[in-house]
């Protein structure tokens, strides 16, 4: 999704995003580019999204995002094509990654 107000400073390697989230995951290719952060509904392949509430499980089940910032309790609501990135505070970590893609929005 094009943001008419702020410039997207991506893409970023997933490895850089994992470092920002304080996640160590050897099962993810560090060369993969992530082009944007987006909501569950509008996310596409090579984008990252977030899931913080069970009330969005129906939308989460259909997301096209490659990665999703979520918690341990919600990771099974995602399709197999979306890799869960497990964190303690989903909204805080989502804010951190959003500021990486859109630093001028802060």
């Amino acid at each position: 999704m094009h943001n008419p107000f702020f410039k997207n400073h991506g893409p970023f390697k997933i490895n850089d995003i994992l470092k920002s989230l304080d996640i160590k995951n050897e099962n993810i290719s560090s060369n993969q580019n992530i082009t944007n952060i987006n909501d569950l509904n509008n996310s596409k392949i090579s984008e990252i999204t977030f899931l913080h509430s069970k009330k969005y499980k129906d939308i989460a089940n259909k997301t096209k995002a490659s990665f999703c910032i979520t918690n341990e309790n919600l990771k099974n609501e995602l399709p197999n094509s979306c890799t869960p990135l497990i964190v303690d505070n989903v909204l805080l970590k989502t804010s951190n990654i959003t500021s990486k893609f859109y630093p001028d929005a802060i």
Side-chain angles (χ1 to χ4, degrees), residues 20-82:
S20 295
L21 295 172
D22 296 322
I23 294 176
K24 292 180 180 154
N25 193 336
E26 294 80 28
N27 299 331
I28 298 174
S29 169
S30 62
N31 291 331
Q32 186 170 355
N33 278 330
I34 303 302
T35 58
N36 200 3
I37 186 163
N38 215 333
D39 61 81
L40 286 163
N41 237 2
N42 295 305
S43 291
K44 300 177 184 97
I45 293 173
S46 296
E47 291 185 343
I48 191 169
T49 190
F50 64 98
L51 174 62
H52 70 287
S53 172
K54 202 149 185 106
K55 75 178 182 179
Y56 300 110
K57 70 179 185 175
D58 292 335
I59 298 169
N61 187 302
K62 299 172 188 165
T63 190
K64 303 290 186 225
S66 294
F67 297 93
C68 182
I69 302 168
T70 192
N71 60 41
E72 189 67 36
N73 295 333
L74 297 172
K75 70 180 183 183
N76 294 325
E77 303 298 338
L78 298 167
N80 291 335
S81 59
C82 184

Side-chain angles (χ1 to χ4, degrees), residues 9-24:
H9 288 251
F12 296 100
K13 298 285 185 194
I14 187 60
N15 200 39
D16 294 334
I17 292 173
L18 293 175
K19 284 180 189 173
S20 295
L21 295 172
D22 296 322
I23 294 176
K24 292 180 180 154

Side-chain angles (χ1 to χ4, degrees), residues 80-100:
N80 291 335
S81 59
C82 184
T83 303
L85 303 176
I86 308 302
V87 298
D88 290 332
N89 188 326
V90 174
L91 295 178
L92 178 64
K93 296 298 185 171
T94 298
S95 174
N96 292 348
I97 299 306
T98 301
S99 68
K100 190 172 187 68

